[in-house]
Amino acid sequence: MRTSIWEKPGSIAEAYWKQGHADFPVYDMHGHMGSHYAIYFKRCEPADVVAHIKRAGVKRLVFAHHDALWGGLRNEKVWEMCCQFPEHLRMYVAINPHFPETIKEDLAKFDQWAPFAVGLKFLADYHRVAVTDKAYEYALKFANERGIPILNHTWGGSGFDGGPIMLEVTQKYPRAKFFIGHCLYGDWDYASRVVNETPGNVWLELTAIPGERGIIEMLVEMVGSERILYGTDMPWFDEFQGIGGVLSAKITEDDMRNILYRNAESILGKNW
Amino acid sequence: MKDCLFFDANCKLGAGAAGEACLPDVSALLSEMDYYGVDRALIRHTNIIKGALTSNEKIAEFLCDDPQKRLCGTWCILPSQCDEIPAPELFFSQMKAARVGAITLSPFEHRYVPCRLTLGKILDAAAERKVPVLLDAFAGRWTELYAFMKEFPYLTCIYLESIGKWGSDRNLRPLLENYEGFHIDTAGYWVPEGIRDLAEKYGAERILYGSGSPRYNHGNGMLQLRHNGLNDNDFALIAGKNLERLLKGAEL
Ligand SMILES: [Zn+2]
């Protein structure tokens, strides 16, 4: 047997195998918080989540609380959670298109929630409203004016946040920074198009993909590692599984660094 | 790291009929295993769903291409009444001769009901001789799996999760609690530190490292397991010793 990736002296993979972290901070750009109806979570509240991400060398987790997405918890409460863990937690303001007044009230507080609120989160597939619908316009204009990120749940073939819809919206709001959650899973053609046919305001976000054989390699080939962000859906997926999936991809260490931290730093800075 | 054996319980080899992702031959698989540091693998054929007997033959051929004996094979069974596979005694001795250590079934594609009437003879013998039975066909089919386990409660079996990434604890834990011979592999079980939770609750002996290759690569699950917070002994059991023990325990 030849030397495995985990044994290559001085490699990122070796550092992770031996120590559980490398010489850089990881930014997990797609997380959640709290229990969820469809799954049993032993660890889903802030203290447990932070303990887990710290073990894997994750410096920041940016999340949208499940209950804030469903409409049962106000984003202000999520901001209070972030205040408890200022070193590790940042939030996406959850946008539910069925609650227009809440959207206006919460976005009016966006600046007060600095530095913890870094962007918005759309979950169109679950809210059953297409991102191109008027119900998202207020939030899209808000993000576009400020040039802030929107993490979109996306999925190939979806009539709410699938390829053609995301291409239309990312072209229409060129100053908003679109994070394409799950990379339009399965529709790799459109994943490539939303990056390559827009003016530099789109990044693919990897949640659910690390570990799939050959997919990260293909995405890097299609859009370049500079346009890919790391995420896990924490508390759904283990950080070491996710990071392990990036380190297991047959890409360069430069690509790995871009995905795991450099791109997040170039979008949001080193201290955010 | 090589003081620890990694033995992959969830690995498909050979081309499929529907153009699915595949590792076509033994050298492609061994090269992937080497890249990530996986020592051994229990293989089953990608194309089982399109033919039990033909894929059994292919597996036997693949094993001839593996002189270092890093691979162990899996054969697919069928209902005994149609005379497609021989009686248990002969079937098991043929398995042994071909270096096949486990059996699997694909009842939904092969169109029969997986129950005592169809499979009683072969699966009672498998239970008695502790021949591991892979339950890959039941991935995500919980109602059918629950009915099957009720019919065959004493099997030594391994549930292979190959499709779902969502945690399945609400379905997995009752099976682990109620059936002593029920094991699971780690592919697709991505719950944060969840492998350790299951090991603490049901024993590390019940969990086996599985890559889910070729859909998944071998490496991601290795790092997940490595840093799940398990003690060294439990880590080694899950990484490879459990599967080694189950295969050695089979009286073929
Ligand atoms: Zn998500």
Side-chain angles (χ1 to χ4, degrees):
Chain A
M1 251 170 78
R2 62 172 192 249
T3 309
S4 75
I5 56 167
W6 314 113
E7 298 164 300
K8 280 214 173 99
S11 67
I12 300 172
E14 186 204 36
Y16 257 95
W17 187 266
K18 283 188 174 163
Q19 305 147 29
H21 58 85
D23 63 353
F24 54 80
V26 171
Y27 299 93
D28 184 337
M29 301 305 289
H30 185 160
H32 296 283
M33 198 67 74
S35 61
H36 187 282
Y37 58 87
I39 186 173
Y40 163 68
F41 284 136
K42 186 172 174 182
R43 297 173 187 79
C44 62
E45 297 305 334
D48 285 334
V49 167
V50 168
H52 177 73
I53 67 169
K54 278 168 76 174
R55 288 183 60 227
V58 175
K59 180 176 173 182
R60 297 269 193 276
L61 170 71
V62 194
F63 72 97
H65 198 289
H66 288 126
D67 292 329
L69 288 164
W70 308 144
L73 180 79
R74 291 300 292 264
N75 284 298
E76 184 141 30
K77 293 286 172 201
V78 183
W79 169 71
E80 287 170 12
M81 288 176 193
C82 292
C83 295
Q84 303 287 311
F85 297 91
E87 296 301 314
H88 293 285
L89 296 184
R90 295 293 180 268
M91 66 188 274
Y92 294 111
V93 173
I95 300 295
N96 184 327
H98 299 293
F99 297 86
E101 289 313 310
T102 302
I103 294 174
K104 284 184 183 164
E105 281 174 29
D106 284 2
L107 292 185
K109 291 182 187 163
F110 189 86
D111 292 332
Q112 293 170 38
W113 294 339
F116 299 112
V118 302
L120 317 182
K121 165 77 187 220
F122 292 0
L123 191 63
D125 244 349
Y126 289 72
H127 294 142
R128 316 303 287 169
V129 178
V131 181
T132 42
D133 191 278
K134 226 177 152 23
Y136 281 106
E137 209 175 84
Y138 187 86
L140 282 163
K141 280 184 176 163
F142 182 89
N144 197 51
E145 276 161 19
R146 288 155 182 261
I148 58 171
I150 305 172
L151 171 62
N152 290 262
H153 170 94
T154 70
W155 210 261
S158 165
F160 304 102
D161 47 32
I165 286 172
M166 293 316 297
L167 185 60
E168 181 184 331
V169 87
T170 49
Q171 287 175 337
K172 188 171 173 191
Y173 297 95
R175 291 200 64 246
K177 296 182 170 78
F178 288 90
F179 298 168
I180 305 296
H182 311 292
C183 306
L184 284 160
Y185 192 98
D187 188 350
W188 313 123
D189 178 38
Y190 263 97
S192 165
R193 289 185 63 186
V194 290
V195 175
N196 293 324
E197 296 178 22
T198 45
N201 62 326
V202 179
W203 289 262
L204 302 180
E205 182 282 316
L206 285 178
T207 290
I209 289 167
E212 298 249 10
R213 195 173 65 93
I215 305 290
I216 292 179
E217 292 87 329
M218 180 190 65
L219 294 171
V220 167
E221 177 78 26
M222 289 191 320
V223 303
S225 62
E226 299 80 5
R227 316 302 297 181
I228 299 175
L229 298 167
Y230 169 74
T232 61
D233 252 346
M234 177 62 48
W236 291 76
F237 302 147
D238 190 281
E239 287 290 353
F240 287 105
Q241 188 280 325
I243 294 168
V246 175
L247 302 184
S248 295
K250 292 170 181 168
I251 54 178
T252 67
E253 287 213 340
D254 245 5
D255 292 329
M256 294 173 189
R257 286 175 183 273
N258 287 342
I259 292 167
L260 292 170
Y261 74 101
R262 281 186 190 144
N263 296 338
E265 288 187 346
S266 73
I267 297 166
L268 293 163
K270 285 205 180 213
N271 231 333
W272 47 281
Chain B
M1 71 171 279
K2 291 323 299 167
D3 50 353
C4 177
L5 168 85
F6 268 88
F7 197 161
D8 183 2
N10 187 352
C11 180
K12 290 195 279 197
L13 183 58
E20 55 266 62
C22 79
L23 292 166
D25 52 37
V26 169
S27 75
L29 173 61
L30 293 179
S31 153
E32 281 288 287
M33 288 164 61
D34 286 346
Y35 186 82
Y36 298 106
V38 174
D39 303 87
R40 302 195 60 201
L42 176 64
I43 55 166
R44 60 191 197 280
H45 202 283
T46 309
N47 224 15
I48 283 174
I49 56 170
K50 294 287 186 280
L53 303 181
T54 47
S55 60
N56 288 352
E57 268 173 42
K58 286 272 178 213
I59 284 290
E61 286 168 24
F62 280 143
L63 292 169
C64 296
D65 293 339
D66 170 38
Q68 289 182 300
K69 301 187 178 176
R70 291 171 65 188
L71 307 179
C72 178
T74 305
W75 272 359
C76 185
I77 58 170
L78 289 165
S80 51
Q81 291 82 358
C82 298
D83 304 322
E84 291 170 287
I85 60 166
E89 191 77 19
L90 181 57
F91 189 66
F92 292 149
S93 70
Q94 288 174 348
M95 282 172 62
K96 189 174 183 179
R99 245 174 60 228
V100 170
I103 55 180
T104 187
L105 60 155
S106 187
F108 312 113
E109 296 288 342
H110 297 164
R111 295 174 68 173
Y112 65 89
V113 181
C115 66
R116 182 153 289 285
L117 291 180
T118 52
L119 298 173
K121 283 179 196 151
I122 182 86
L123 288 185
D124 282 347
E128 202 182 308
R129 292 156 167 257
K130 299 187 171 49
V131 178
V133 180
L134 305 190
L135 302 178
D136 46 312
F138 292 86
R141 302 183 78 131
W142 299 106
T143 308
E144 290 93 338
L145 179 58
Y146 272 54
F148 179 81
M149 290 307 297
K150 240 183 176 164
E151 291 272 285
F152 301 105
Y154 302 112
L155 281 184
T156 298
C157 55
I158 309 168
Y159 173 75
L160 302 178
E161 181 52 83
S162 56
I163 54 166
K165 290 169 177 169
W166 291 27
S168 299
D169 286 83
R170 288 172 182 162
N171 285 316
L172 284 176
R173 290 180 180 217
L175 295 167
L176 286 164
E177 181 183 279
N178 284 284
Y179 300 105
E180 229 175 83
F182 185 85
H183 301 73
I184 62 164
D185 89 308
T186 57
Y189 189 78
W190 293 358
V191 180
E193 297 174 49
I195 297 171
R196 185 182 80 238
D197 294 336
L198 291 182
E200 283 170 358
K201 210 169 165 67
Y202 303 103
E205 296 77 13
R206 312 287 295 281
I207 308 166
L208 289 75
Y209 163 74
S211 69
S213 173
R215 173 164 179 181
Y216 302 116
N217 63 49
H218 290 81
N220 69 98
M222 295 174 78
L223 193 71
Q224 176 192 1
L225 183 61
R226 164 90 172 107
H227 293 296
N228 226 264
L230 295 154
N231 64 44
D232 289 351
N233 187 50
D234 286 354
F235 171 65
L237 287 176
I238 297 171
K241 283 187 179 170
N242 284 338
L243 181 54
E244 200 174 43
R245 186 191 69 245
L246 292 183
L247 292 170
K248 274 186 187 156
E251 297 158 23
L252 290 170

Short mmCIF file of all heavy atoms in Angstrom, two decimals, chain A residues 45-81:
data_model
loop_
_atom_site.label_atom_id
_atom_site.label_comp_id
_atom_site.label_asym_id
_atom_site.label_seq_id
_atom_site.Cartn_x
_atom_site.Cartn_y
_atom_site.Cartn_z
N GLU A 45 -28.22 22.87 20.45
CA GLU A 45 -28.31 24.19 21.09
C GLU A 45 -26.91 24.82 21.08
O GLU A 45 -25.90 24.13 20.94
CB GLU A 45 -28.86 24.05 22.50
CG GLU A 45 -30.28 23.49 22.57
CD GLU A 45 -31.31 24.27 21.74
OE1 GLU A 45 -31.11 25.49 21.51
OE2 GLU A 45 -32.30 23.66 21.30
N PRO A 46 -26.85 26.16 21.23
CA PRO A 46 -25.58 26.86 20.99
C PRO A 46 -24.37 26.29 21.72
O PRO A 46 -23.31 26.12 21.11
CB PRO A 46 -25.89 28.29 21.44
CG PRO A 46 -27.35 28.44 21.15
CD PRO A 46 -27.97 27.11 21.44
N ALA A 47 -24.49 25.97 23.01
CA ALA A 47 -23.29 25.52 23.74
C ALA A 47 -22.72 24.23 23.15
O ALA A 47 -21.49 24.11 22.97
CB ALA A 47 -23.63 25.32 25.22
N ASP A 48 -23.59 23.28 22.82
CA ASP A 48 -23.11 22.01 22.27
C ASP A 48 -22.57 22.19 20.85
O ASP A 48 -21.58 21.56 20.47
CB ASP A 48 -24.26 20.99 22.23
CG ASP A 48 -24.56 20.44 23.61
OD1 ASP A 48 -23.65 20.43 24.45
OD2 ASP A 48 -25.71 20.03 23.84
N VAL A 49 -23.25 23.01 20.09
CA VAL A 49 -22.80 23.25 18.71
C VAL A 49 -21.43 23.92 18.72
O VAL A 49 -20.51 23.51 17.99
CB VAL A 49 -23.84 24.12 17.95
CG1 VAL A 49 -23.25 24.65 16.65
CG2 VAL A 49 -25.10 23.30 17.67
N VAL A 50 -21.27 24.92 19.58
CA VAL A 50 -19.98 25.61 19.65
C VAL A 50 -18.88 24.65 20.11
O VAL A 50 -17.77 24.65 19.56
CB VAL A 50 -20.07 26.85 20.57
CG1 VAL A 50 -18.69 27.41 20.87
CG2 VAL A 50 -20.94 27.93 19.91
N ALA A 51 -19.20 23.79 21.06
CA ALA A 51 -18.19 22.83 21.53
C ALA A 51 -17.75 21.93 20.37
O ALA A 51 -16.56 21.64 20.21
CB ALA A 51 -18.77 21.98 22.66
N HIS A 52 -18.69 21.52 19.55
CA HIS A 52 -18.35 20.64 18.43
C HIS A 52 -17.50 21.36 17.38
O HIS A 52 -16.48 20.84 16.94
CB HIS A 52 -19.62 20.08 17.78
CG HIS A 52 -19.35 19.21 16.59
ND1 HIS A 52 -18.82 17.94 16.71
CD2 HIS A 52 -19.47 19.44 15.26
CE1 HIS A 52 -18.65 17.43 15.50
NE2 HIS A 52 -19.02 18.32 14.60
N ILE A 53 -17.91 22.56 17.00
CA ILE A 53 -17.14 23.24 15.93
C ILE A 53 -15.74 23.60 16.40
O ILE A 53 -14.79 23.55 15.62
CB ILE A 53 -17.89 24.47 15.35
CG1 ILE A 53 -18.02 25.59 16.37
CG2 ILE A 53 -19.25 24.07 14.79
CD1 ILE A 53 -18.50 26.91 15.76
N LYS A 54 -15.61 23.93 17.69
CA LYS A 54 -14.28 24.27 18.21
C LYS A 54 -13.32 23.08 18.09
O LYS A 54 -12.14 23.24 17.79
CB LYS A 54 -14.37 24.70 19.68
CG LYS A 54 -14.79 26.15 19.85
CD LYS A 54 -15.15 26.48 21.27
CE LYS A 54 -13.94 26.65 22.19
NZ LYS A 54 -14.36 27.11 23.54
N ARG A 55 -13.84 21.89 18.33
CA ARG A 55 -13.00 20.69 18.23
C ARG A 55 -12.38 20.57 16.84
O ARG A 55 -11.30 20.01 16.67
CB ARG A 55 -13.81 19.43 18.52
CG ARG A 55 -14.22 19.27 19.98
CD ARG A 55 -14.96 17.96 20.19
NE ARG A 55 -14.16 16.83 19.82
CZ ARG A 55 -14.56 15.82 19.07
NH1 ARG A 55 -15.79 15.78 18.62
NH2 ARG A 55 -13.74 14.83 18.79
N ALA A 56 -13.10 21.06 15.82
CA ALA A 56 -12.64 20.89 14.44
C ALA A 56 -11.93 22.13 13.90
O ALA A 56 -11.70 22.22 12.69
CB ALA A 56 -13.83 20.53 13.56
N GLY A 57 -11.60 23.05 14.75
CA GLY A 57 -10.88 24.24 14.29
C GLY A 57 -11.74 25.20 13.50
O GLY A 57 -11.23 25.98 12.69
N VAL A 58 -13.05 25.16 13.73
CA VAL A 58 -13.95 26.09 13.03
C VAL A 58 -14.03 27.38 13.84
O VAL A 58 -14.42 27.38 15.00
CB VAL A 58 -15.36 25.47 12.85
CG1 VAL A 58 -16.32 26.49 12.23
CG2 VAL A 58 -15.26 24.23 11.97
N LYS A 59 -13.66 28.48 13.20
CA LYS A 59 -13.62 29.76 13.90
C LYS A 59 -15.00 30.39 13.96
O LYS A 59 -15.39 30.97 14.98
CB LYS A 59 -12.65 30.70 13.17
CG LYS A 59 -12.50 32.08 13.79
CD LYS A 59 -11.43 32.88 13.05
CE LYS A 59 -11.38 34.32 13.52
NZ LYS A 59 -10.39 35.11 12.78
N ARG A 60 -15.74 30.34 12.87
CA ARG A 60 -17.06 30.94 12.84
C ARG A 60 -18.05 29.98 12.19
O ARG A 60 -17.75 29.36 11.17
CB ARG A 60 -17.06 32.21 11.99
CG ARG A 60 -16.18 33.32 12.51
CD ARG A 60 -16.93 34.24 13.43
NE ARG A 60 -16.16 35.46 13.66
CZ ARG A 60 -15.20 35.59 14.57
NH1 ARG A 60 -14.88 34.56 15.36
NH2 ARG A 60 -14.55 36.73 14.70
N LEU A 61 -19.23 29.90 12.79
CA LEU A 61 -20.36 29.23 12.16
C LEU A 61 -21.41 30.30 11.90
O LEU A 61 -21.81 31.01 12.82
CB LEU A 61 -20.94 28.16 13.09
CG LEU A 61 -22.28 27.55 12.65
CD1 LEU A 61 -22.10 26.66 11.43
CD2 LEU A 61 -22.92 26.75 13.79
N VAL A 62 -21.82 30.44 10.65
CA VAL A 62 -22.90 31.38 10.33
C VAL A 62 -24.18 30.56 10.15
O VAL A 62 -24.22 29.65 9.31
CB VAL A 62 -22.61 32.19 9.06
CG1 VAL A 62 -23.57 33.37 8.98
CG2 VAL A 62 -21.17 32.68 9.03
N PHE A 63 -25.20 30.89 10.93
CA PHE A 63 -26.37 30.01 10.96
C PHE A 63 -27.68 30.80 10.89
O PHE A 63 -27.73 31.99 11.17
CB PHE A 63 -26.36 29.14 12.23
CG PHE A 63 -26.67 29.91 13.50
CD1 PHE A 63 -27.96 29.90 14.03
CD2 PHE A 63 -25.68 30.64 14.15
CE1 PHE A 63 -28.25 30.59 15.20
CE2 PHE A 63 -25.97 31.34 15.32
CZ PHE A 63 -27.25 31.31 15.84
N ALA A 64 -28.73 30.07 10.50
CA ALA A 64 -30.10 30.56 10.60
C ALA A 64 -30.83 29.56 11.49
O ALA A 64 -30.81 28.36 11.22
CB ALA A 64 -30.75 30.63 9.23
N HIS A 65 -31.45 30.04 12.54
CA HIS A 65 -32.13 29.15 13.48
C HIS A 65 -33.34 28.50 12.81
O HIS A 65 -34.10 29.16 12.11
CB HIS A 65 -32.58 29.96 14.71
CG HIS A 65 -32.90 29.11 15.90
ND1 HIS A 65 -34.01 28.31 15.95
CD2 HIS A 65 -32.24 28.93 17.08
CE1 HIS A 65 -34.03 27.68 17.12
NE2 HIS A 65 -32.96 28.04 17.82
N HIS A 66 -33.51 27.18 13.03
CA HIS A 66 -34.66 26.48 12.43
C HIS A 66 -35.97 27.19 12.75
O HIS A 66 -36.80 27.43 11.86
CB HIS A 66 -34.75 25.05 12.97
CG HIS A 66 -33.68 24.13 12.46
ND1 HIS A 66 -32.86 23.41 13.30
CD2 HIS A 66 -33.30 23.82 11.21
CE1 HIS A 66 -32.02 22.69 12.57
NE2 HIS A 66 -32.26 22.92 11.31
N ASP A 67 -36.18 27.52 14.01
CA ASP A 67 -37.48 28.09 14.40
C ASP A 67 -37.67 29.51 13.87
O ASP A 67 -38.81 29.94 13.65
CB ASP A 67 -37.63 28.07 15.93
CG ASP A 67 -37.76 26.64 16.45
OD1 ASP A 67 -38.31 25.81 15.70
OD2 ASP A 67 -37.29 26.36 17.56
N ALA A 68 -36.58 30.21 13.63
CA ALA A 68 -36.70 31.54 13.01
C ALA A 68 -37.13 31.38 11.55
O ALA A 68 -37.89 32.18 11.02
CB ALA A 68 -35.38 32.30 13.11
N LEU A 69 -36.66 30.31 10.91
CA LEU A 69 -37.07 30.05 9.53
C LEU A 69 -38.54 29.66 9.45
O LEU A 69 -39.24 30.03 8.52
CB LEU A 69 -36.20 28.93 8.92
CG LEU A 69 -34.76 29.35 8.62
CD1 LEU A 69 -33.88 28.12 8.41
CD2 LEU A 69 -34.68 30.26 7.40
N TRP A 70 -39.00 28.91 10.44
CA TRP A 70 -40.42 28.49 10.43
C TRP A 70 -41.34 29.63 10.88
O TRP A 70 -42.56 29.55 10.71
CB TRP A 70 -40.66 27.27 11.32
CG TRP A 70 -39.77 26.09 11.09
CD1 TRP A 70 -39.28 25.25 12.04
CD2 TRP A 70 -39.27 25.58 9.84
NE1 TRP A 70 -38.49 24.28 11.46
CE2 TRP A 70 -38.46 24.46 10.11
CE3 TRP A 70 -39.40 25.99 8.51
CZ2 TRP A 70 -37.81 23.74 9.12
CZ3 TRP A 70 -38.74 25.28 7.51
CH2 TRP A 70 -37.97 24.16 7.82
N GLY A 71 -40.79 30.64 11.52
CA GLY A 71 -41.63 31.76 11.93
C GLY A 71 -42.01 31.75 13.42
O GLY A 71 -42.72 32.63 13.89
N GLY A 72 -41.51 30.75 14.15
CA GLY A 72 -41.88 30.64 15.56
C GLY A 72 -40.92 31.33 16.51
O GLY A 72 -41.15 31.35 17.73
N LEU A 73 -39.86 31.88 15.99
CA LEU A 73 -38.86 32.53 16.85
C LEU A 73 -38.37 33.77 16.11
O LEU A 73 -38.07 33.69 14.92
CB LEU A 73 -37.68 31.56 17.08
CG LEU A 73 -36.52 32.05 17.94
CD1 LEU A 73 -36.88 31.95 19.42
CD2 LEU A 73 -35.27 31.20 17.68
N ARG A 74 -38.30 34.88 16.82
CA ARG A 74 -37.86 36.10 16.15
C ARG A 74 -36.34 36.14 16.05
O ARG A 74 -35.62 35.62 16.91
CB ARG A 74 -38.37 37.33 16.92
CG ARG A 74 -39.88 37.52 16.82
CD ARG A 74 -40.36 37.69 15.38
NE ARG A 74 -39.92 38.94 14.78
CZ ARG A 74 -40.64 40.05 14.73
NH1 ARG A 74 -41.88 40.06 15.21
NH2 ARG A 74 -40.15 41.13 14.15
N ASN A 75 -35.86 36.78 15.00
CA ASN A 75 -34.41 36.87 14.77
C ASN A 75 -33.68 37.57 15.91
O ASN A 75 -32.50 37.33 16.14
CB ASN A 75 -34.15 37.59 13.45
CG ASN A 75 -34.42 36.70 12.24
OD1 ASN A 75 -33.78 35.67 12.06
ND2 ASN A 75 -35.39 37.07 11.43
N GLU A 76 -34.40 38.43 16.64
CA GLU A 76 -33.77 39.11 17.77
C GLU A 76 -33.27 38.11 18.82
O GLU A 76 -32.22 38.27 19.42
CB GLU A 76 -34.77 40.08 18.40
CG GLU A 76 -34.15 40.90 19.53
CD GLU A 76 -34.66 42.33 19.52
OE1 GLU A 76 -35.80 42.54 19.09
OE2 GLU A 76 -33.89 43.21 19.93
N LYS A 77 -34.05 37.05 19.00
CA LYS A 77 -33.67 36.00 19.96
C LYS A 77 -32.41 35.27 19.46
O LYS A 77 -31.58 34.81 20.25
CB LYS A 77 -34.81 34.99 20.15
CG LYS A 77 -36.02 35.56 20.82
CD LYS A 77 -35.77 35.76 22.32
CE LYS A 77 -36.91 36.50 22.98
NZ LYS A 77 -36.52 37.14 24.24
N VAL A 78 -32.31 35.15 18.18
CA VAL A 78 -31.13 34.48 17.59
C VAL A 78 -29.91 35.37 17.81
O VAL A 78 -28.81 34.89 18.13
CB VAL A 78 -31.36 34.21 16.09
CG1 VAL A 78 -30.19 33.45 15.49
CG2 VAL A 78 -32.67 33.44 15.88
N TRP A 79 -30.10 36.65 17.63
CA TRP A 79 -29.02 37.60 17.90
C TRP A 79 -28.54 37.47 19.35
O TRP A 79 -27.34 37.48 19.63
CB TRP A 79 -29.51 39.03 17.62
CG TRP A 79 -28.59 40.09 18.11
CD1 TRP A 79 -27.38 40.42 17.58
CD2 TRP A 79 -28.79 40.96 19.23
NE1 TRP A 79 -26.80 41.44 18.31
CE2 TRP A 79 -27.65 41.79 19.33
CE3 TRP A 79 -29.82 41.12 20.16
CZ2 TRP A 79 -27.50 42.77 20.32
CZ3 TRP A 79 -29.69 42.08 21.14
CH2 TRP A 79 -28.54 42.89 21.22
N GLU A 80 -29.48 37.29 20.27
CA GLU A 80 -29.10 37.11 21.69
C GLU A 80 -28.25 35.86 21.87
O GLU A 80 -27.31 35.84 22.67
CB GLU A 80 -30.35 37.04 22.58
CG GLU A 80 -31.03 38.40 22.74
CD GLU A 80 -32.41 38.31 23.41
OE1 GLU A 80 -32.74 37.23 23.96
OE2 GLU A 80 -33.16 39.30 23.34
N MET A 81 -28.57 34.81 21.12
CA MET A 81 -27.74 33.58 21.20
C MET A 81 -26.32 33.87 20.72
O MET A 81 -25.35 33.40 21.32
CB MET A 81 -28.33 32.48 20.30
CG MET A 81 -29.59 31.87 20.82
SD MET A 81 -30.25 30.67 19.63
CE MET A 81 -31.88 30.45 20.34
#
